Amino acid sequence: VTAGEDHFPLTAREGWQRFTDAAPAEPKLLTAADLELLSAEGRAAYDHDRADYHSRLVIVATPTVRQVYAAGRRLVLLNRHQVSARRGLVITGAAGTGKTTAVTQLGRNHELLLRHRLGQEAAAGRMPVVYVTVPPAATPKMLAAEFARFAGVPVDSRRQNQADITNAVCDVLARLRTDLVLVDEIHNLNLATRAGADASDQLKYLAERIPATFVYAGINVEGSGLFTGTRGQQIAGRFGVIACDPFPYGATVQRQQWQALIATLEQSLRLHRHQAGRLVRLDAYLHERTDGMIGSLSHLIRGAAVEAILDGTEKITRETLDRVGLDHAAEGARTRRKTARRRRDNTR
Amino acid sequence: MARTSAAAAALAVLTGPGAEEEPAGEDEVPSGDVEPFGVFDPLAQDNGAW
């Protein structure tokens, strides 16, 4: 995950700052008469701005995003005066269900509201949010180094041991009054190895030392071992779990939710000849393509919008969507469904 | 009723200059019946969550 054109990772303070500050302008659609007046360079710049806008589009306030936001904000408030036994949150689910989006939006919102409440100057001396990802095959020292990297604490791996780095990180974050720590990719903790089990313990230790609300996100966290052992049992007793699931498409209410998601993305399109409601009417096809994954749906619609600008059609049709390839998981699920349907049809 | 009208109005805004009209097919859901989730507002105090 990166922020801005220079690709600063979100897991470093500068990238997080850019992500939090970013307020991309929504391009205004010109009238046909105004379009005629544009020079070739002007038209290219206009299209480039719109393609750039569609490359990120908008963050949809899905029920999950709202739930993570509400639970996270509530916990930050409740934990404020808690000296120990702080409560936290675990966001779990399959890849592409919007976990990272939900936690990063919680963090961004928390930081922006703090700035708004205290004023830019007073908030400048704080680091209210830390966002780190667990590296693959993480060791306790690597985990401490991730926190140090985000906080800008210099680390000399040869001279400093794990305890030195951990102490430095905890001191800095306490001074900067960090009160929300987001730990993503938690499934990278491999409890089957000694180093992985130690890293899991290290994370639990950091959560005890840093006076903040911890939010963990990852793929199917329940099975990751986060809740095992003595410290794990403490986490199980103090952490709420929010599951991020694909959007189902069966009952009427489920279809309405899926359509509500598509409608929000469709509303945000800035294409000249796109007819409102066209994508919502393709809801069954879009579910078939994406398996109900919000990440795949967003990629598909954004990709088709950019395609529509580049080829000049200025509208998203089923043909445009057909041309946009998706991730292996979504395409694989679609192929399996098609095969199953064919088998069913052949046996009738 | 008010929610449906709001959604229909919001969707109508989408119709850019030169947008084409196309009637919904028999099995299709008229888009005006859908209440969009809306966009997450990073500066909102509650984002409709409470």
Side-chain angles (χ1 to χ4, degrees):
Chain A
V1 185
T2 59
E5 284 184 358
D6 299 325
H7 300 289
F8 288 97
L10 269 192
T11 49
R13 183 65 189 152
E14 191 164 9
W16 178 262
Q17 205 79 65
R18 282 168 183 251
F19 165 73
T20 306
D21 293 340
E26 194 178 283
K28 223 176 156 182
L29 273 185
L30 295 179
T31 62
D34 286 339
L35 272 182
E36 290 290 318
L37 295 174
L38 287 179
S39 64
E41 292 80 20
R43 178 63 196 241
Y46 173 70
D47 287 348
H48 178 272
D49 284 350
R50 284 189 304 134
D52 189 56
Y53 162 78
H54 286 99
S55 72
R56 20 183 175 203
L57 218 54
V58 292
I59 303 296
V60 181
T62 61
T64 303
V65 166
R66 286 203 303 265
Q67 194 187 357
V68 170
Y69 163 80
R73 295 262 303 141
R74 191 189 305 124
L75 284 172
V76 170
L77 291 170
L78 288 173
N79 285 333
R80 189 159 287 167
H81 304 292
Q82 204 76 20
V83 287
S84 67
R86 282 177 293 274
R87 290 179 179 270
L89 202 56
V90 173
I91 318 299
T92 179
T97 48
K99 300 180 295 297
T100 296
T101 299
V103 295
T104 52
Q105 288 303 317
L106 164 67
R108 180 172 185 237
N109 185 273
H110 175 64
E111 185 153 343
L112 289 175
L113 287 180
L114 186 93
R115 281 189 213 165
H116 186 71
R117 187 161 57 84
L118 300 180
Q120 288 284 359
E121 210 173 307
R126 291 196 184 196
M127 190 185 288
V129 179
V130 166
Y131 175 78
V132 294
T133 56
V134 177
T139 63
K141 195 171 178 181
M142 283 163 74
L143 212 47
E146 286 297 313
F147 277 77
R149 189 157 66 96
F150 186 94
V153 176
V155 173
D156 184 341
S157 290
R158 279 171 303 179
R159 290 194 182 157
Q160 286 178 295
N161 62 25
Q162 176 195 327
D164 294 335
I165 304 170
T166 304
N167 286 333
V169 163
C170 292
D171 288 348
V172 166
L173 296 187
R175 259 207 319 277
L176 295 174
R177 301 178 70 177
T178 299
D179 56 2
L180 180 60
V181 175
L182 310 169
V183 184
D184 207 348
E185 313 283 335
I186 194 111
H187 51 266
N188 279 334
L189 286 177
N190 182 0
L191 272 287
T193 66
R194 174 69 193 267
D198 288 347
S200 174
D201 263 358
Q202 162 78 342
L203 192 56
K204 291 161 192 166
Y205 179 68
L206 284 166
E208 284 165 17
R209 286 277 313 268
I210 301 167
T213 298
F214 273 64
V215 177
Y216 302 127
I219 298 172
N220 304 326
V221 178
E222 304 95 315
S224 73
L226 189 71
F227 299 128
T228 58
T230 311
R231 282 201 177 116
Q233 282 167 20
Q234 277 185 337
I235 291 182
R238 292 179 196 157
F239 277 63
V241 177
I242 294 178
C244 283
D245 294 316
F247 280 75
Y249 191 80
T252 304
V253 68
Q254 293 172 341
R255 291 176 184 220
Q256 284 169 344
Q257 294 246 307
W258 179 244
Q259 290 160 358
L261 172 61
I262 298 167
T264 308
L265 290 170
E266 185 166 35
Q267 275 190 351
S268 60
L269 295 175
R270 293 296 175 263
L271 299 171
H272 282 280
R273 284 192 286 275
H274 186 78
Q275 186 209 355
R278 187 188 278 264
L279 283 184
V280 175
R281 291 199 287 272
L282 289 172
D283 62 332
Y285 163 81
L286 289 168
H287 197 275
E288 168 81 11
R289 283 291 309 274
T290 61
D291 212 20
M293 298 290 186
I294 188 171
S296 302
L297 178 75
S298 167
H299 177 83
L300 183 56
I301 292 178
R302 288 182 297 119
V306 170
E307 181 88 6
I309 292 169
L310 295 178
D311 68 13
T313 55
E314 293 287 338
K315 62 182 176 185
I316 300 180
T317 62
R318 178 157 172 170
E319 289 70 39
T320 328
L321 293 161
D322 276 339
R323 288 204 298 274
V324 180
L326 276 179
D327 49 280
H328 177 69
E331 298 290 9
R334 191 183 187 206
T335 307
R336 283 193 296 278
R337 276 194 303 275
K338 274 184 174 170
T339 310
R341 252 200 318 271
R342 257 200 308 273
R343 279 197 191 129
R344 267 201 315 273
D345 293 345
N346 289 340
T347 54
R348 270 177 199 161
Chain B
M1 190 63 195
R3 295 178 85 194
T4 304
S5 306
L11 284 167
V13 174
L14 273 178
T15 313
E20 296 161 11
E21 288 303 318
E22 188 179 281
E26 265 180 45
D27 297 325
E28 293 162 345
V29 180
S31 57
D33 285 350
V34 181
E35 176 77 12
F37 285 137
V39 175
F40 184 78
D41 179 357
L43 273 172
Q45 289 286 344
D46 64 8
N47 266 306
W50 287 310

